[in-house]
Each structure stands twice: as structure tokens, then as C-alpha cells.
Amino acid sequence: MSSQTHFFVPIFFLIFLTTTLAYASTTPKTQTLNTNTNPNPPQIQYINPKLPQKAFTSSKKYEGSSNLVHLRYHMGPVLSSSPINIYLIWYGNWPNSHKQTIKHFLLSLSSTSAPSPSVSDWWNTLSLYTDQTGANISRTVLIAGEHSDLRYSHGTQLTRLSMQQVISNAVKSAPFPVDHKNGIFLILTSQDVTVQEFCRAVCGFHYFTFPSMVGYTMPYAWIGNSAKQCPEVCAYPFAIPGYMAGGGPGALTPPNGDVGIDGMISVIAHELAELSSNPLVNAWYAGEDPTAPTEIGDLCEGLYGSGGGGGYIGQVMKGRDGMSFNMNGIRNRRFLVQWIWSPVLQACTGPNKLD
């Protein structure tokens, strides 16, 4: 979402609570679907945690579809130049293991080596979006450079404006050239850094740099590690709010073993999808107000699999290690990433859809 909107889940929670109360007379149990007829199936199951049996319908298609959604193109650019060069800014204290998990996700966006359902399959839906010339969003994404701001150059309390200063500092300090015509900045703040409206109203946002501060206009996205500040908000469903305890789905086990990082990855995906399809806040979005657009990630908030909606994330996969995921990445990585709006289906979709 743009800098004027946010990745947040309170409405999703309210919908969930309403749905939960409707089934309060029963105690639902985890529904496990074995869709594999192979006599020696892999140790993976499709699950929808604590999904009431009544919620199953004859069709699982078009989760999130609605005649009320009017996603429109507003004639602005999309990230069609290939490759899309990502310039990473690690702000704060970042363990190498956390960096590796995030970079493996980013490198999975273009890789064809991962088995389906894959991260690159998810990005292929994004590549269906075009600009006014008919050029599609690029399918090739690269990590073009990295800069570590270990000394917290602008402190541990950042604002939207100081985020531009963080970028400016990185541009001056980084030992690599920046292709500002075909690149994006991705600023990731460590768990000890607070950001304006973080946890209260946003988990991440995207916008573009100001020439007066950075020297040129270039799209960027910021995402914070919520592990110590609000995992129940920004790392859901790996952590759940207290008021959901007992009546809703239990917290899922993160596929890479870290609630904060696995939660960040879905927000990173959300922001990259919206930044790519609406980089200057004048391309693909719903609504009439460009300062508060509803973008392609916002339309699918909280959906991770078939049957999702009404407070349920949908059917996802669980490995024999108990970790939940819905797509595969490089180097045997697994990730749980929210779905995005398809301009073809006019509905939310993901590579793990069952029909």
C-alpha cells in the first residue's frame, strides 16, 4: 500500500470474531484434507486451522471476488523495465540468518528451480498487470546491492520523513551505483526500531523518494520486524491477539522458525506487489482518492489459500515438521505469503489454490 494507506488487520479481526460467534455453539476442530491419492504421499497435508465444517462449500474459486471491487488503471507506470533491481537497506542490528531468509525469498521471485506451488508462480500473477503501452510488470527481480546501517544513522525512532533521510544516507555511503530508472529501495528495520504509526496503523508502506532529499525520484518500500513490538498484528497468523485465544485458530508454526521474520516476508510480498503495480501512486488501485488507494494486496488481506474469507486464512500446507506454508522457494525454503488480486480472474488468487 502507499504511504497514505497501510498493511493492517483490525477489520479482518472483527470479521473473524463475527464469524466465530456464529459457530460458538460447537467446538470446531482442525480439518485436514488429504487430496493426494498417491499410495506413498509426501508428508504434506492441506489444512485450514479450526475451520467449521459448515464453512466448506461446493466451490473454492474466486476468494475475495466481489462486484463491489472496481480496481482501475489510472495511466501511471508500472515496474516493467527488466530486471527490477532491488537495493536493500538493512537498518539496525540484523543477524545473518535473518538476512539470508529474506534474501532467499527475494531471489525466489524469479527462480524457476523451486517446485510448485512456488514464489515465482505467485509473482507470475503480478506480471499480468500492464501499463498504458501494454508492457507487463517484469518477471525478473534481482538484488542489485545491499547497505547495512549498523549505527542507526537516524536513531531508533523513525518517521516517514526520516525514512527518506535513511535512503539518502545509504545512497551516499553504499559502495555500489544505483540505477534509479530501473530500481527500488527496500528498507528493512530491525526489531528494536520504532517507526511512525508502526503497529498502530501500519506494518509496512511504499512511496517514492523526493529529489530534494535523495537526488531523484525512485520507488521504495519499508517493512519493520514486529517480533518484539506487535507480532499479533504484523506477524499474524504466526502470533494471535489475546482476544482471539480459545475461540479462533491457534497460531501457526512459522516455516523458517522465526515469527518476526516469517511475518515480515508476507508484508514484504504485499508491499512489493503494490509498489510494482502502483509505484508512483497513479497506476493500479481501487477508489477515487490516490492519497488513500486500495491496492492489489489490500484487496486480499488475510487470504492465504482456497476457502479463505470471513475470518479464515484458507487452506494452507503443513509439513511433517509441523510448519505451515503455502509456497516453495529456492534452497528448500518454504514461505507463507498472502494472495494478491488477479486482473484476469477479478479475484484473489495464489499458486496453492485447489481449484
Side-chain angles (χ1 to χ4, degrees):
M1 48 197 67
S2 75
S3 86
Q4 306 302 321
T5 57
H6 52 79
F7 180 102
F8 200 46
V9 290
I11 294 177
F12 165 74
F13 288 156
L14 291 175
I15 295 173
F16 171 84
L17 290 175
T18 302
T19 307
T20 300
L21 291 174
Y23 294 108
S25 61
T26 63
T27 304
K29 298 180 180 180
T30 300
Q31 301 295 326
T32 301
L33 303 180
N34 183 1
T35 60
N36 197 314
T37 58
N38 189 320
N40 297 300
Q43 297 299 311
I44 293 176
Q45 295 175 313
Y46 278 91
I47 62 163
N48 195 327
K50 291 190 176 182
L51 176 64
Q53 192 66 39
K54 294 179 182 179
F56 286 107
T57 62
S58 60
S59 175
K60 307 178 190 66
K61 293 184 178 180
Y62 308 141
E63 287 77 6
S65 59
S66 170
N67 291 330
L68 301 178
V69 173
H70 299 292
L71 183 73
R72 295 195 300 116
Y73 176 57
H74 296 80
M75 305 305 288
V78 300
L79 297 186
S80 58
S81 297
S82 188
I84 298 172
N85 294 307
I86 295 179
Y87 296 94
L88 280 167
I89 300 175
W90 304 98
Y91 191 88
N93 182 23
W94 279 94
N96 285 332
S97 60
H98 290 177
K99 288 183 176 182
Q100 284 298 104
T101 301
I102 291 173
K103 287 194 290 185
H104 285 168
F105 171 74
L106 296 174
L107 293 173
S108 296
L109 293 171
S110 299
S111 175
T112 58
S113 64
S116 292
S118 69
V119 175
S120 62
D121 293 336
W122 177 87
W123 188 263
N124 284 344
T125 295
L126 186 60
S127 70
L128 297 173
Y129 287 89
T130 62
D131 63 15
Q132 59 184 310
T133 71
N136 298 78
I137 291 176
S138 174
R139 292 191 179 189
T140 306
V141 182
L142 301 178
I143 298 175
E146 300 179 59
H147 172 68
S148 295
D149 196 331
L150 297 172
R151 297 185 178 182
Y152 302 80
S153 63
H154 288 80
T156 58
Q157 297 180 332
L158 301 178
T159 65
R160 291 181 182 269
L161 187 60
S162 64
M163 198 69 67
Q164 301 253 353
Q165 296 170 333
V166 168
I167 296 172
S168 178
N169 179 72
V171 169
K172 295 174 183 177
S173 305
F176 54 80
V178 174
D179 180 0
H180 64 273
K181 294 183 178 180
N182 300 308
I184 61 173
F185 289 113
L186 184 59
I187 306 99
L188 306 175
T189 50
S190 55
Q191 60 187 1
D192 56 342
V193 176
T194 61
V195 176
Q196 180 183 0
E197 298 182 317
F198 186 31
C199 295
R200 184 182 66 82
V202 301
C203 298
F205 63 77
H206 75 87
Y207 206 53
F208 49 84
T209 61
F210 302 147
S212 60
M213 299 190 71
V214 179
Y216 44 76
T217 297
M218 182 165 159
Y220 75 88
W222 159 78
I223 299 92
N225 186 340
S226 66
K228 289 186 176 180
Q229 299 180 53
C230 58
E232 73 283 357
V233 174
C234 294
Y236 185 89
F238 302 124
I240 58 174
Y243 59 80
M244 271 188 167
L252 301 185
T253 303
N256 295 286
D258 190 283
V259 169
I261 299 303
D262 278 296
M264 275 189 85
I265 285 171
S266 189
V267 185
I268 289 171
H270 176 115
E271 296 301 334
L272 285 180
E274 295 183 342
L275 183 151
S276 298
S277 58
N278 196 28
L280 300 181
V281 202
N282 60 358
W284 290 94
Y285 63 87
E288 300 302 323
D289 184 1
T291 66
T294 299
E295 299 173 287
I296 67 171
D298 303 327
L299 292 170
C300 303
E301 195 78 76
L303 290 174
Y304 295 82
S306 294
Y312 295 100
I313 67 172
Q315 296 171 51
V316 298
M317 293 174 283
K318 180 186 286 186
R320 60 182 178 182
D321 54 8
M323 296 181 177
S324 300
F325 65 102
N326 64 351
M327 57 190 75
N328 299 294
I330 64 171
R331 301 190 182 185
N332 297 316
R333 291 282 191 182
R334 293 172 174 175
F335 304 101
L336 187 69
V337 175
Q338 74 149 85
W339 284 11
I340 55 175
W341 188 265
S342 166
V344 175
L345 297 177
Q346 291 295 296
C348 298
T349 190
N352 59 311
K353 62 183 179 181
L354 296 182
D355 59 357

